[in-house]
Amino acid sequence: MAKLVYRVVSACGALGYGFPRESLQKALEGRIDAIISDAGSMDAGPYYLGTGNEYFEREAVKADYRHMVEAGLQTGSPVILGSCGMAGGRRNLDWMLEVAKEVFAELGVKDAKVAVIHSDLDPGVVVDELRKGALLATGAGPELDEAALRESVIVGQMGIHPLITALESGARYIFAGRACDIALFASDMIRRGIDPGIAYHVGHVLECGALACDPGTPSDCLVAEVFDDGSAVFVAPDPNRRCTPYSIAAHSLYEESHPQLQFYPEGILVMDKTEFFAPDARSTGIRNSRFVRAGKPWPWSIKLEGSRRLGARKVSLIHIAAADLPKIPAELLVYGRNGVQARAVEGDERELGIIVETRAKTPEAAETLASLLTHYLIHYGYPGRKATAGNIAYPLSPNLVSFRREDGLYGAIVPSGTRDPVFFANYEKIKSAVIGLIEAQFPEALAQADYQLIDADAEHPAVLLRTIDSDPDRLAARHAAEVDAITRLAPPQPGSHLNLDAADAYAWSLYHLLQNEEVIKKLMFPISYYRAEGDQWVKEGEERPRYFDIGITGYDGNLDDRTLSLIADAPPRGEPHGSRRLLDMAVVIRSKDAGINRLTFDIVFNSAADYEAALRSNLFHKESVAKILHVDAERVVGSFFVDSCNAIKISIDRPNISASADERDVFGAQQQSKIEGLGIPVHAHPLSSASAL
């Protein structure tokens, strides 16, 4: 029998999402080697890096971290956070440290060694690399501009070595700036001699918490157990969730542009030989994932992210009569028409705008409840959900607009929308469940503010106007003119909000690879050590990360993410025997950003039979996909088959850079409607009627 060699807890998908304390306590039953949480991401847009602000509410972040520290004190295991404060910049990291000091004081943490790892990089260093032509693009845009870079806040995504160095130096609590999500989990496993292939794959599954479960959510814990036979098994501590081969395999594709190749600073995770297996009804294992050492064709590299301010922003949300909808210019965002995608709804498609609106005596109370409602709405995992990357699309970053109401109270609104027919069928249950979760976990938020969830559709459209300008007077004049142009065509209906001051607008100025090993290894990711006595932290020293090679060498397999597992154009013979709805054939149909410049679609089928039928239909080769999605064929990065989990992955260049001024879906989580609506012609009897999983 295989022997357990490592056991790790992922607290949640991101610090601030919240998780049941009962789940964490259940996870602590048995051996615990580390308690870890990703604390942020670039998914929500460049605003958080540019300003140093946090995406989540402070009390939510503090509550999550307090539970993690309590667990660390109980078990004696290290507690690790990465991408602190959401974006992982210096100001984000400092914000998290202040929260941590409060938690340490309240829990009486004493004589604890703390490691703080910064990820900022001087823009001047980046400009030097730009002048040498040494920054490697990761896809389409953003276009590099020296002046813009000098105005930017820039961070790099650290890999495993800074974290391993801090662990080897005895740090019990680690606070990392911007970090590769997977590295947070893989670092300690690799330090303890676990094969990098399994370590990185485990990290990829764990980084979103229980989102890899069925039903999935980032607001819950997930446990991984690693064994001496090279396998790992995932277990959900919440008895209402389970890990299945399809859920773990589907999450292995998540947020990546290729199904079997994932690129990291130290090398490439290769999953073309990965096996998924089920030891029992509630757990799932993986084995045979491999990690190829950095070198040709993938040298050592660090992904750099840069954010710069564009200007101030004004927003108006104008509810209009359905009869006036045809008068509104086609390019404007209107919920009920084109609020979720720039392409207007067609045929039987339906689009629903969901406007979260709160009212309270203080701006903090209104913002807190609005944030909680939207966080839970987007990620609530309901039975039968297919769009597991997110239930709704946000057009704004930050997604919330705070304002003073005419009645003297304070308000906050969050516009969002969806085209997902499965969501529509469950909408009323989802709303009730979300309110129930907030009542249970944040009752004071509901006690201090009122809320409305306002629907906008073709019968009750809502226009969203957004104006950005660096000059305040010019901004006011431009936005007033835009509002006037609409209200002359369509009188505002009750519930409209005009001329609101939103948060400043930021743009991504950099999303490129740094491949200068001297800069990476000698300048980046300095580590500072502190001795903590409650909220009193005394600096004890500094250290540079220690680097070493990992992964296999001499790999002769295909590492080309444009050709490996590409679906060929193979027209079927004869006429189809019939047609089936893709919605009836797949357990997952989702879209999601894969970085700021790519969008990826995952279709995970119910069975090998359904998967074979879809492949035989010839609908999913590159040129066909381009027609389905209404994009040019050259924008399709690839359409790939994934035999290991009966899945098809499609990746395209994003039509715009995420969180741009014209954004409709910051996370890219609601772009799959054309795929959901497909009918699949069945051309031959599939090879099997039973799932390969």
Side-chain angles (χ1 to χ4, degrees):
M1 179 179 290
K3 179 183 177 183
L4 179 67
V5 296
Y6 190 83
R7 191 167 182 268
V8 56
V9 178
S10 172
C12 56
L15 205 70
Y17 271 133
F19 55 89
R21 193 174 182 184
E22 298 78 13
S23 286
L24 182 57
Q25 288 303 308
K26 181 67 175 177
L28 299 184
E29 295 177 3
R31 169 179 180 164
I32 294 293
D33 291 288
I35 301 165
I36 304 173
S37 181
D38 180 17
S41 170
M42 39 66 65
D43 284 1
Y47 172 85
Y48 302 95
L49 177 59
T51 62
N53 289 349
E54 167 63 83
Y55 177 75
F56 295 100
E57 294 301 314
R58 189 180 193 278
E59 288 307 307
V61 172
K62 182 179 177 181
D64 284 356
Y65 189 63
R66 181 187 176 97
H67 295 331
M68 291 179 67
V69 173
E70 288 173 336
L73 292 171
Q74 180 179 334
T75 62
S77 56
V79 178
I80 303 171
L81 295 181
S83 297
C84 286
M86 188 61 182
R90 181 173 294 273
R91 289 175 295 178
N92 303 103
L93 182 53
D94 289 345
W95 182 93
M96 185 65 225
L97 295 180
E98 290 303 311
V99 172
K101 288 178 180 179
E102 286 185 18
V103 170
F104 280 24
E106 292 170 5
L107 295 179
V109 174
K110 298 182 180 298
D111 193 30
K113 187 169 185 176
V114 174
V116 177
I117 312 173
H118 287 93
S119 60
D120 297 70
L121 186 59
D122 187 327
V125 175
V126 179
V127 169
D128 289 342
E129 294 297 307
L130 171 63
R131 290 176 173 175
K132 291 186 291 186
L135 296 174
L136 183 65
T138 58
E143 297 297 325
L144 294 179
D145 177 83
E146 185 173 318
L149 290 176
R150 292 193 184 279
E151 297 174 352
S152 298
V153 178
I154 297 173
V155 293
Q157 286 189 24
M158 73 182 73
I160 62 171
H161 293 93
L163 297 153
I164 289 176
T165 303
L167 286 164
E168 288 181 339
S169 297
R172 283 281 307 281
Y173 300 93
I174 297 177
F175 300 88
R178 186 68 174 111
C180 175
D181 304 341
I182 285 75
L184 301 173
F185 298 89
S187 54
D188 193 37
M189 285 184 270
I190 291 170
R191 180 177 79 97
R192 294 169 182 251
I194 292 170
D195 179 78
I198 206 71
Y200 277 81
H201 196 161
V202 166
H204 181 66
V205 173
L206 289 181
E207 55 101 0
C208 285
L211 192 60
C213 299
D214 181 19
T217 176
S219 299
D220 208 343
C221 308
L222 184 60
V223 173
E225 300 174 340
V226 183
F227 296 87
D228 62 0
D229 64 353
S231 67
V233 173
F234 301 96
V235 182
D238 184 339
N240 297 309
R241 306 186 193 282
R242 61 190 186 118
C243 297
T244 67
Y246 98 78
S247 73
I248 298 300
H251 197 77
S252 299
L253 311 178
Y254 188 59
E255 296 182 316
E256 299 291 337
S257 62
H258 194 277
Q260 294 147 346
L261 300 174
Q262 296 179 9
F263 298 86
Y264 297 107
E266 306 83 8
I268 306 171
L269 175 61
V270 184
M271 298 182 292
D272 60 335
K273 304 296 184 185
T274 299
E275 296 178 17
F276 302 87
F277 61 94
D280 55 51
R282 294 195 61 253
S283 64
T284 287
I286 57 172
R287 53 179 166 240
N288 297 335
S289 299
R290 295 167 293 173
F291 194 84
V292 178
R293 182 176 301 180
K296 292 183 179 180
W298 181 256
W300 259 90
S301 58
I302 293 293
K303 187 179 291 182
L304 300 179
E305 299 164 359
S307 169
R308 73 180 184 99
R309 183 178 181 271
L310 294 179
R313 174 159 41 195
K314 283 186 176 291
V315 168
S316 289
L317 182 69
I318 308 173
H319 294 274
I320 63 172
D324 291 328
L325 178 57
K327 304 174 186 176
I328 305 301
E331 68 275 10
L332 293 183
L333 187 163
V334 183
Y335 283 113
R337 182 184 72 183
N338 63 342
V340 175
Q341 299 177 28
R343 173 188 62 82
V345 291
E346 301 170 333
D348 294 334
E349 271 189 304
R350 177 190 176 198
E351 179 176 280
L352 176 67
I354 303 173
I355 315 301
V356 175
E357 182 170 344
T358 59
R359 181 176 60 183
K361 294 181 179 179
T362 67
E364 293 80 12
E367 293 166 12
T368 295
L369 183 56
S371 293
L372 289 170
L373 286 165
T374 51
H375 291 329
Y376 279 107
L377 273 173
I378 192 172
H379 285 303
Y380 179 70
Y382 57 90
R385 180 169 71 150
K386 297 184 187 293
T388 58
N391 299 323
I392 48 180
Y394 299 136
L396 297 175
S397 175
N399 56 28
L400 181 149
V401 180
S402 183
F403 61 99
R404 189 73 180 264
R405 299 172 58 88
E406 293 181 358
D407 59 11
L409 296 175
Y410 293 89
I413 59 170
V414 180
S416 67
T418 180
R419 293 186 178 183
D420 183 0
V422 184
F423 182 89
F424 297 150
N426 290 273
Y427 184 33
E428 294 305 319
K429 293 179 181 178
I430 292 167
K431 287 191 289 186
S432 297
V434 164
I435 298 304
L437 286 168
I438 297 174
E439 286 176 340
Q441 298 183 31
F442 300 97
E444 69 284 357
L446 284 170
Q448 295 173 5
D450 297 326
Y451 72 90
Q452 287 181 286
L453 298 180
I454 303 166
D455 295 346
D457 55 22
E459 299 302 315
H460 306 88
V463 182
L464 181 67
L465 294 180
R466 300 165 288 180
T467 313
I468 299 169
D469 206 301
S470 58
D471 180 86
D473 294 334
R474 192 167 58 222
L475 172 64
R478 286 181 55 207
H479 191 70
E482 292 170 9
V483 170
D484 182 63
I486 296 300
T487 55
R488 282 189 287 107
L489 297 172
Q493 300 297 299
S496 297
H497 295 286
L498 306 182
N499 197 36
L500 303 181
D501 291 315
D504 287 352
Y506 282 74
W508 293 113
S509 57
L510 178 69
Y511 192 70
H512 291 67
L513 296 178
L514 171 68
Q515 296 182 313
N516 186 329
E517 285 195 38
E518 186 169 348
V519 171
I520 294 170
K521 295 179 178 179
K522 293 185 178 180
L523 290 182
M524 300 190 75
F525 312 124
I527 308 169
S528 298
Y529 294 109
Y530 298 84
R531 184 62 56 180
E533 296 282 345
D535 59 1
Q536 301 301 306
W537 293 15
V538 178
K539 191 170 184 178
E540 291 190 327
E542 297 180 347
E543 188 175 16
R544 296 290 316 156
R546 297 184 288 273
Y547 290 89
F548 53 89
D549 289 330
I550 63 167
I552 60 178
T553 58
Y555 182 76
D556 60 1
N558 188 352
L559 296 176
D560 183 356
D561 63 350
R562 294 275 180 161
T563 62
L564 178 63
S565 300
L566 194 69
I567 296 175
D569 181 0
R573 296 179 182 177
E575 295 299 316
H577 298 291
S579 179
R580 296 182 61 198
R581 295 196 317 160
L582 184 61
L583 276 171
D584 297 330
M585 300 170 67
V587 70
V588 171
I589 307 174
R590 67 175 173 221
S591 65
K592 183 67 170 69
D593 288 344
I596 68 171
N597 52 11
R598 283 186 178 171
L599 187 66
T600 188
F601 303 83
D602 297 333
I603 309 166
V604 183
F605 291 87
N606 295 325
S607 68
D610 289 334
Y611 173 57
E612 289 283 347
L615 289 178
R616 288 174 183 268
S617 74
N618 205 37
L619 282 180
F620 294 101
H621 65 85
K622 183 174 180 177
E623 288 72 20
S624 176
V625 162
K627 293 178 182 178
I628 292 168
L629 296 175
H630 297 287
V631 299
D632 295 333
E634 57 266 25
R635 296 190 68 86
V636 180
V637 177
S639 183
F640 309 100
F641 62 86
V642 195
D643 289 345
S644 62
C645 58
N646 296 332
I648 290 173
K649 174 179 274 292
I650 301 163
S651 294
I652 67 172
D653 289 326
R654 222 177 183 279
N656 61 350
I657 299 298
S658 176
S660 298
D662 60 346
E663 186 59 81
R664 284 169 165 79
D665 185 0
V666 171
F667 292 98
Q670 278 295 311
Q671 301 302 298
Q672 75 284 354
S673 62
K674 289 300 290 185
I675 294 175
E676 283 180 311
L678 286 176
I680 307 300
V682 180
H683 282 274
H685 291 295
L687 298 179
S688 171
S689 60
S691 172
L693 301 181

